[in-house]
Amino acid sequence: MPKTNHSQKVRQLSMNAIMAAMCAVLGYLSLDLGNLKVTFESLPILVSALLFGPADGMIVGGIGTLIYQLLRYGVSITTPLWMLPYIVCGLLAGWYAKKNGFSLSGRQVMVLVILNELLITVLNTGVLYIDSHIYGYYSAAFIFGSLVPRLIICVVKAAAFGLVLPGITGAVRRQLQ
């Protein structure tokens, strides 16, 4: 019995490492158009959160986003703030999945992902606001003028994630057994 538990922990740790690396790569390969950013970095965070729970989701979100931030921008006073939305995403998605015994319907996944992506967008807007004041590039038009297109991108991306996540998590769950 302990051997099986050890083996499962190793698989879980390995999967989280892969998901954190994917998060970093997907963040790095984002399409940046000023303050419009199209990225898929939250997908691996959601996979880990839905499979393993809030701690794993937070760890994948934190490590993956930290690596991405360091590679793309280096270290700054606001680096932890830019990591925060993805850590919160992992926490909330993982908490909800755990609360429901890791057995979510397609509809639950869709709603969860849409709410998480909206939260990430709102939190990133707040971080952009803080960052712009710290580094002296604040402009209301820059920060809030693109909020509607950012929200549209967010919802479209979330709907796509919501459609593919049940299949991804199911396939990964079967491979981990």
Side-chain angles (χ1 to χ4, degrees):
M1 189 68 141
K3 189 175 185 179
T4 304
N5 189 26
H6 176 72
S7 176
Q8 288 173 335
K9 285 293 183 186
V10 169
R11 288 180 183 160
Q12 183 175 341
L13 181 62
S14 299
M15 182 56 62
N16 283 337
I18 291 166
M19 291 296 116
M22 285 179 60
C23 175
V25 169
L26 290 172
Y28 193 81
L29 296 177
S30 64
L31 176 61
D32 285 323
L33 306 167
N35 61 346
L36 282 178
K37 178 180 173 187
V38 180
T39 178
F40 301 109
E41 70 190 286
S42 61
L43 184 62
I45 299 166
L46 290 164
V47 169
S48 283
L50 293 175
L51 287 173
F52 307 123
D56 296 79
M58 289 173 57
I59 289 167
V60 169
I63 292 172
T65 308
L66 174 63
I67 293 168
Y68 155 68
Q69 287 289 320
L70 294 176
L71 290 173
R72 191 91 185 247
Y73 304 108
V75 178
S76 78
I77 193 75
T78 58
T79 299
L81 293 177
W82 288 109
M83 295 165 53
L84 184 65
Y86 298 96
I87 293 170
V88 171
C89 169
L91 169 70
L92 295 178
W95 172 81
Y96 188 77
K98 186 175 181 177
K99 177 180 175 274
N100 288 281
F102 298 99
S103 180
L104 303 176
S105 69
R107 182 174 184 211
Q108 285 175 304
V109 171
M110 181 66 76
V111 171
L112 177 65
V113 172
I114 289 172
L115 291 175
N116 263 285
E117 290 296 321
L118 286 169
L119 181 60
I120 288 170
T121 300
V122 168
L123 290 174
N124 274 334
T125 302
V127 173
L128 184 61
Y129 176 83
I130 293 167
D131 191 85
S132 71
H133 278 287
I134 290 172
Y135 292 106
Y137 63 90
Y138 175 78
S139 159
F142 180 75
I143 306 300
F144 302 107
S146 64
L147 188 55
V148 170
R150 290 174 59 225
L151 288 170
I152 292 169
I153 291 168
C154 160
V155 171
V156 170
K157 181 175 67 167
F161 285 3
L163 290 173
V164 300
L165 269 169
I168 292 171
T169 55
V172 172
R173 188 172 283 120
R174 285 188 297 277
Q175 290 301 312
L176 291 174
Q177 293 177 349

